[in-house]
Amino acid sequence: AEMLRPIRTFGLGEMRSFAAAPEGPVLVSAGPSGAFVWDQRTASLNRTVAGNAAPVTAVAVSQDGRHFL
């Protein structure tokens, strides 16, 4: 089987979870080093939230994109 290769990487390591706001341009990704808030329109990283003692394994975004968990 052929492996898919990333088109673009951001140097943030493995991502384990993604969530997108249904009514906004917000995308949140999560991995061993924390959670990352992105603007989907520009693919720019807007905010980094460092993980605690354990990796962040799941994320959720509110419908309006103003809050994430």
Side-chain angles (χ1 to χ4, degrees), residues 15-40:
M15 292 293 116
R16 296 183 179 173
S17 180
F18 296 90
E23 295 181 7
V26 176
L27 173 76
V28 179
S29 63
S33 57
F36 307 92
V37 182
W38 303 87
D39 182 323
Q40 294 182 66

Side-chain angles (χ1 to χ4, degrees), residues 6-15 29 31-34 36 38 43 45 48:
I7 295 171
R8 183 174 175 189
T9 61
F10 296 91
L12 301 173
E14 173 188 355
M15 292 293 116
S29 63
S33 57
F36 307 92
W38 303 87
L45 179 60
T48 300

Side-chain angles (χ1 to χ4, degrees), residues 21 26 47 61-68:
V26 176
R47 184 172 181 190
V61 179
S62 65
Q63 189 162 347
D64 63 6
R66 294 179 56 200
H67 307 279
F68 70 95

